[in-house]
Amino acid sequence: MDPIRVPPEMFRFTTGDRAGLYVSILHAFGEANERMETTLGIDDVRSRLRTVGWLEAIEDDDLTHALGQLRDWNLVDIVQNHTENYRTAAEYERRNLQYSLTKQGEAAFAGVAHAMTVLASTGALQTAVLDAIADRLADLLRELESGSDRRVFTTLTELEAHLEALRGNTKQFNGELQRLLRDEGVDLTVFHEVKAATVAYLREFLTDIEHRTQTIASRIQAVDDHGVTRVHQCALLGADLPRLTGADPAAAWLEQRRARWDGLRAWFLPTDGAAPRIDQLRVVGRKAIVSLLQVLDRITESRRRSSSAVSDFRELARWFSILPDQDDLHRLWSTVFGLGSARHAHLAHEDPELVGYTESWTSAPAVEVSPLLRASGRTERYGRTGGIPDVAAIRAERKARAAIERAELEAAWDMLDTGGAVRLSSFGKLEHGVFERLLELLGRALACAPGSGGVRRGSTSDGRVEIALRPPSDGAIAELTTPRGVFRGPDYVVEIVRGGGRHSEVSA
């Protein structure tokens, strides 16, 4: 990529004492261009200044001098208007000169307007943009097969616009995210709410992003298989570019399209074996979630402990200084530090006769203290071993319940056995349990790809019940009544067979 070189005088109008006037003049020309007015006289410039918010009075000499300065910076072009009829010399002096933006002036104002838009906007990670990119790629594939050059051009333009939105929003959101990770000086309540919402936002974006990325990558590869050069040539024909100068704009236009396509591949399917940029975004998002959760833990911990140990001891010292009675001081000491009588003082030696009652604790043999007593203040209590429960009754009850459920299942399969190809509407009214079994079979069949003749086949997990399903040729609708409501759907031709039987040919 070639280095970016900005003309030194291009943005000089944004600095200095008269920067506000210069920006307002360019803004006035920009508003005029929106209304297809490419040239303005001095009176037109003055009236346009009021519409863009410049309300200060300005003399003709000052305005003419400002326009001349913009011309010196190659932002405004001054031409003479030879198409008007002037009645007086004063009118000629005033209306002869016409002002318009140069190409550099248009670029300078567009850059300032874009910069202000970025400052006022916030970045976003939108899964809708990823879905839109995937949809436009699918549309591009369809247009390449049967569409026109104009639709190829419009689809490619929409695809590039969605890619640019993804890139711009991602860069801006990443910058705001990194500033959020560094921002520690705001109110803790606001800080906690913002970061918690950001964590939820990132989690929602990262959900199912791998599937979306894989879909886009596969469609990019499909377009490459058709030929990117062919795509760009069709789009060039559909663009119908005008040749306003001597140079042919097709070469530059095609080069820009190739650069945009390379950018799309860099995001989802790089050709040089590098990691896709969408994967880098996923890594950044996951790291940000971890960092934000760590910050939230620190905030929660700081809220849980409202004061430090130093302030606690200072408050305790203040209490000791104001208590007048000695007993109150001892009671406060015991309450704060939890110092009382030894909890193991009631324990005795295994053979108390070997140790006299006058023996000092420092010379007496040690007494074993249970770890449970040290940890929880309680001693072990040994009781009788509990009896082993008799589970025979529980086992018999479960066996009987399993037999009943199996019998109900067998009865349901017997009821659903069609004995041949029938319409789904022929089942009429079903018990809810039988209806659930029928839905299970229909779901397994519809989850399989259609075979020859459009027939879908499925079976239960044990393979004992099989179903063959074919859509109706007449588009009829079936209604099945259950105790819990009415089911409506296509009146499929179904055949349900038990015990590994063979299906007959399903026909509508």
Side-chain angles (χ1 to χ4, degrees):
M1 181 177 181
D2 296 334
I4 298 177
R5 294 183 175 89
V6 180
E9 72 282 355
M10 187 171 183
F11 293 103
R12 194 172 295 173
F13 69 97
T14 59
T15 60
D17 297 336
R18 312 196 72 186
L21 177 60
Y22 295 147
V23 173
S24 297
I25 291 175
L26 291 185
H27 192 183
F29 278 105
E31 290 293 323
N33 281 343
E34 291 288 335
R35 292 167 175 80
M36 306 304 171
E37 299 177 17
T38 57
T39 59
L40 298 177
I42 190 169
D43 294 331
D44 298 328
V45 174
R46 186 188 302 278
S47 62
R48 288 288 181 185
L49 283 175
R50 299 190 188 97
T51 63
V52 297
W54 181 268
L55 303 179
E56 297 181 15
I58 182 172
E59 300 293 337
D60 288 348
D61 293 341
D62 292 339
L63 184 56
T64 303
H65 181 269
L67 291 169
Q69 183 63 70
L70 292 175
R71 181 192 58 183
D72 295 339
W73 290 333
N74 196 24
L75 301 178
V76 170
D77 192 14
I78 302 178
V79 296
Q80 291 184 343
N81 186 8
H82 299 290
T83 62
E84 290 286 343
N85 295 321
Y86 306 105
R87 292 172 295 182
T88 62
E91 184 178 357
Y92 174 80
E93 183 72 21
R94 186 173 187 83
R95 299 177 56 190
N96 178 40
L97 297 181
Q98 297 287 318
Y99 304 89
S100 63
L101 286 181
T102 64
K103 190 170 185 179
Q104 184 169 311
E106 294 177 355
F109 178 70
V112 172
H114 180 70
M116 301 307 296
T117 302
V118 171
L119 287 175
S121 62
T122 58
L125 301 178
Q126 299 168 332
T127 54
V129 176
L130 297 178
D131 294 336
I133 291 176
D135 293 341
R136 296 294 80 74
L137 285 170
D139 295 341
L140 189 60
L141 288 171
R142 286 194 296 269
E143 299 301 339
L144 287 174
E145 295 175 356
S146 58
S148 65
D149 295 336
R150 290 185 179 271
R151 287 198 293 269
V152 171
F153 165 70
T154 56
T155 304
L156 184 62
T157 303
E158 293 178 7
L159 174 62
E160 292 178 353
H162 290 310
L163 175 63
E164 190 62 28
L166 173 65
R167 294 170 58 184
N169 284 333
T170 299
K171 289 187 293 185
Q172 193 166 0
F173 181 82
N174 185 47
E176 294 176 359
L177 181 62
Q178 301 308 317
R179 286 189 290 272
L180 178 63
L181 291 174
R182 298 190 300 266
D183 193 0
E184 301 286 349
V186 299
D187 180 72
L188 287 181
T189 302
V190 178
F191 197 62
H192 185 277
E193 293 177 355
V194 170
K195 292 203 171 183
T198 305
V199 169
Y201 183 81
L202 287 171
R203 284 175 172 171
E204 181 179 358
F205 174 75
L206 294 177
T207 300
D208 205 26
I209 190 175
E210 290 85 356
H211 175 70
R212 289 185 169 93
T213 302
Q214 183 62 34
T215 300
I216 294 175
S218 61
R219 292 177 180 176
I220 290 175
Q221 186 60 50
V223 174
D224 280 344
D225 294 340
H226 281 77
V228 179
T229 303
R230 175 194 168 194
V231 173
H232 291 163
Q233 290 295 336
C234 293
L236 176 62
L237 295 176
D240 195 14
L241 299 178
R243 185 178 295 182
L244 299 179
T245 61
D248 187 2
W253 191 89
L254 288 174
E255 182 62 29
Q256 188 178 19
R257 301 287 76 73
R258 283 191 290 267
R260 295 285 180 86
W261 186 260
D262 291 341
L264 179 65
R265 291 193 63 97
W267 268 90
F268 299 99
L269 191 65
T271 56
D272 55 358
R277 294 178 184 174
I278 194 70
D279 290 346
Q280 301 173 10
L281 176 60
R282 184 162 55 240
V283 171
V284 170
R286 289 173 177 170
K287 287 183 178 179
I289 289 177
V290 174
S291 300
L292 289 172
L293 289 177
Q294 291 174 349
V295 175
L296 292 177
D297 288 341
R298 290 198 299 269
I299 294 176
T300 305
E301 186 64 25
S302 64
R303 288 181 173 181
R304 191 174 299 164
R305 181 177 181 84
S306 58
S307 60
S308 64
V310 174
S311 60
D312 290 343
F313 278 113
R314 287 175 178 172
E315 183 67 19
L316 179 60
R318 189 180 66 83
W319 289 355
F320 273 111
S321 65
I322 62 177
L323 288 178
D325 190 67
Q326 191 74 15
D327 293 337
D328 293 336
L329 292 173
H330 284 293
R331 187 162 51 253
L332 177 60
W333 177 273
S334 300
T335 302
V336 172
F337 296 103
L339 298 179
S341 59
R343 292 174 297 177
H344 63 278
H346 65 285
L347 299 179
H349 195 273
E350 294 180 359
D351 190 357
E353 295 182 356
L354 297 180
V355 181
Y357 66 91
T358 60
E359 188 77 21
S360 172
W361 283 20
T362 57
S363 60
V367 177
E368 183 178 356
V369 180
S370 169
L372 180 62
L373 179 62
R374 291 197 297 267
S376 62
R378 295 181 289 106
T379 58
E380 295 92 341
R381 293 182 180 179
Y382 299 99
R384 186 175 58 183
T385 305
I388 300 176
D390 185 8
V391 297
I394 300 176
R395 187 180 302 168
E397 181 185 356
R398 292 178 179 175
K399 184 176 181 180
R401 187 166 62 249
I404 293 174
E405 293 176 355
R406 186 63 186 174
E408 293 176 351
L409 182 62
E410 294 291 337
W413 291 140
D414 290 337
M415 188 176 298
L416 292 175
D417 193 344
T418 60
V422 298
R423 285 296 186 106
L424 184 61
S425 57
S426 64
F427 287 102
K429 186 175 182 180
L430 296 173
E431 293 295 331
H432 186 72
V434 179
F435 176 68
E436 286 184 339
R437 301 302 175 188
L438 178 60
L439 278 185
E440 178 184 353
L441 283 175
L442 291 175
R444 291 180 180 272
L446 292 174
C448 299
S452 59
V455 178
R456 300 174 182 265
R457 302 184 184 274
S459 63
T460 57
S461 57
D462 56 4
R464 299 182 60 182
V465 180
E466 298 179 356
I467 182 174
L469 187 69
R470 182 172 181 177
S473 58
D474 54 0
I477 301 297
E479 288 191 1
L480 302 182
T481 305
T482 70
R484 300 186 184 182
V486 178
F487 170 82
R488 295 181 179 86
D491 195 8
Y492 287 102
V493 180
V494 298
E495 181 179 1
I496 302 176
V497 180
R498 289 198 57 199
R502 299 183 62 84
H503 290 281
S504 60
E505 183 65 25
V506 178
S507 59

